C-alpha cells in the first residue's frame, strides 16, 4: 500500500485492517489461500488507483470536503483490493515460514511459485533452491521438476546427467511424467547411454498409468521394433489410447496406420 493511499485514507484503511484482522495478527490462514500453487497477485499500483475530481464534481465544495469525497471514492474502490493484497502477502509469508520449517510439500509449492512467477517475481534460482530441498526429502514432483530444470538450464547449468538422476528418483516412486522423460532419455542418449530396452520399459510404466505421451512413444517403438519386438497390433493399441486423449501426434500416426 503506497504512502499516498495512507495519506488520503488512513482512518478508513485502519478500519479495513481492523475488520479483516480483528485488530490483531490472525492466528489462522485466510479462507481463500487453500492452494499456494493457485496464486495471482494484485500489484500495489492497482491498489493505489484513484479517480481525479473534475471541476464539475467539486463545485463550491471546501478543501476538507473534497478530501472526504476523495477518501470515500478510494475506499469504495480499494477495500476488496486491499483485502486481497493483505491476504496474498500474508499467505506468502505463511508459506515461506512453513517451507523454512522443513515441509517438503510447501517447499515444492514455493518452488513452483518461483518457477512460474506466481505471487512473486519469477526466479529460477529460487525455484531450484526450494525444489531441491523438497527433492532431497523424497518429494517425487519436486524431483521431477528439478530434473526438468537441469534439462532446460533453468536456474542451473544444463546437465542431462543430473536431469536423469532426478527423473529416476521420481520415476521409481511411480511419477508418470518422470518415467516418460526417463524413457526419452534412454531413447536418445540424454544423460545416459542409449538403451532401447530400458526406454521401452520406462515408457510402458508411464503408458500403463494413462500418460498419453508415453503411450504414443511406446506405439512408435512397436512400429519400429525398438526395445520391443515389432508388433503393429500393439502399436495400434497404444496409438489409439493416446489418440483418444487428444494426443495430436498419436492421432496422426493412427491415421497413417489406417
Amino acid at each position: 500500500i503506497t504512502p499516498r493511499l495512507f495519506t488520503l485514507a488512513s482512518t478508513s484503511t485502519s478500519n479495513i485492517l481492523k475488520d479483516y484482522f480483528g485488530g490483531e495478527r490472525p492466528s489462522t490462514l485466510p479462507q481463500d489461500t487453500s492452494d499456494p500453487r493457485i496464486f495471482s497477485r494484485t500489484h500495489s499500483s492497482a491498489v493505489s488507483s484513484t479517480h481525479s475530481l473534475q471541476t464539475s464534481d467539486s463545485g463550491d465544495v471546501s478543501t476538507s470536503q473534497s478530501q472526504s469525497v476523495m477518501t470515500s471514492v478510494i475506499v469504495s474502490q480499494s477495500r476488496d483490493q486491499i483485502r486481497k493484497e493483505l491476504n496474498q502477502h500474508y499467505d506468502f509469508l505463511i508459506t515461506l515460514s512453513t517451507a523454512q520449517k522443513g515441509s517438503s510439500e510447501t517447499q515444492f509449492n514455493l518452488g513452483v511459485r518461483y518457477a512460474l512467477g506466481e505471487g512473486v517475481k519469477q526466479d529460477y534460482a529460487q525455484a531450484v533452491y526450494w525444489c531441491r530441498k523438497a527433492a532431497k526429502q523424497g518429494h517425487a514432483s519436486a524431483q521431477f521438476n528439478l530434473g526438468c530444470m537441469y534439462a532446460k538450464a533453468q536456474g542451473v547449468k544444463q546437465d542431462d546427467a543430473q536431469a536423469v538422476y532426478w527423473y529416476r528418483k521420481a520415476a521409481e516412486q511411480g511419477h508418470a511424467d518422470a518415467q516418460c522423460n526417463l524413457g526419452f532419455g534412454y531413447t536418445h542418449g540424454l544423460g545416459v547411454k542409449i538403451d532401447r530396452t530400458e526406454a521401452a520399459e520406462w515408457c510402458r510404466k508411464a503408458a500403463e498409468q494413462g500418460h498419453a505421451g508415453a503411450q504414443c512413444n511406446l506405439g512408435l517403438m512397436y512400429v519400429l521394433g525398438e526395445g520391443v519386438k515389432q508388433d503393429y497390433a500393439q502399436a495400434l493399441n497404444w496409438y489409439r489410447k493416446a489418440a483418444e486423449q487428444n494426443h495430436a501426434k498419436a492421432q496422426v500416426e493412427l491415421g497413417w496406420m489406417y
Side-chain angles (χ1 to χ4, degrees):
I1 303 172
T2 63
R4 182 185 177 193
L5 181 57
F6 272 123
T7 299
L8 292 178
S10 57
T11 301
S12 297
T13 304
S14 297
N15 289 336
I16 294 171
L17 291 170
K18 184 175 181 180
D19 291 341
Y20 185 57
F21 288 148
E24 299 177 356
R25 177 188 175 87
S27 57
T28 59
L29 279 172
Q31 293 181 357
D32 56 344
T33 59
S34 56
D35 188 348
R37 287 169 292 181
I38 304 174
F39 192 88
S40 60
R41 186 177 190 281
T42 301
H43 295 287
S44 297
S45 58
V47 175
S48 61
S49 62
T50 64
H51 280 325
S52 297
L53 286 177
Q54 304 298 323
T55 303
S56 58
D57 294 327
S58 58
D60 297 326
V61 180
S62 66
T63 302
S64 60
Q65 289 174 319
S66 296
Q67 183 163 325
S68 178
V69 171
M70 179 72 82
T71 299
S72 298
V73 171
I74 294 171
V75 172
S76 65
Q77 290 189 339
S78 303
R79 179 181 291 273
D80 290 340
Q81 291 174 321
I82 291 172
R83 185 184 297 274
K84 184 177 181 180
E85 186 83 2
L86 290 170
N87 179 64
Q88 290 170 343
H89 283 302
Y90 177 60
D91 175 42
F92 177 77
L93 290 174
I94 291 296
T95 301
L96 180 61
S97 176
T98 306
Q100 289 172 335
K101 291 177 181 177
S103 168
S104 62
E105 182 68 17
T106 307
Q107 290 168 345
F108 163 67
N109 287 339
L110 193 55
V112 170
R113 283 189 178 188
Y114 275 112
L116 301 179
E118 294 182 342
V120 291
K121 183 178 180 181
Q122 189 177 56
D123 188 331
Y124 287 122
Q126 282 292 312
V128 168
Y129 175 81
W130 289 109
C131 277
R132 190 187 304 280
K133 281 187 171 292
K136 287 182 176 179
Q137 294 193 66
H139 193 291
S141 292
Q143 291 168 341
F144 169 71
N145 282 4
L146 189 55
C148 288
M149 286 187 278
Y150 270 111
K152 299 177 182 179
Q154 294 177 330
V156 287
K157 184 178 179 181
Q158 202 276 340
D159 190 329
D160 286 327
Q162 277 293 304
V164 164
Y165 173 82
W166 290 110
Y167 286 154
R168 189 184 305 280
K169 284 190 173 293
E172 289 172 349
Q173 295 190 67
H175 195 288
D177 286 329
Q179 291 170 341
C180 182
N181 283 14
L182 187 56
F184 187 84
Y186 274 112
T187 298
H188 299 281
L190 298 173
V192 289
K193 184 178 179 180
I194 290 177
D195 187 327
R196 309 292 190 191
T197 302
E198 276 286 301
E201 288 182 5
W202 286 111
C203 274
R204 187 183 304 280
K205 287 180 184 291
E208 289 174 349
Q209 292 192 67
H211 192 290
Q215 291 169 341
C216 181
N217 289 351
L218 189 57
L220 180 60
M221 290 176 184
Y222 273 112
V223 168
L224 301 176
E226 292 185 348
V228 292
K229 184 178 179 180
Q230 189 178 58
D231 187 328
Y232 290 123
Q234 280 293 315
L236 186 68
N237 173 57
W238 290 110
Y239 278 149
R240 188 185 304 281
K241 286 181 180 294
E244 288 173 350
Q245 295 190 66
N246 292 321
H247 191 285
K249 187 175 187 298
Q251 291 169 340
V252 171
E253 295 297 336
L254 186 58
W256 275 111
M257 292 194 73
Y258 275 110

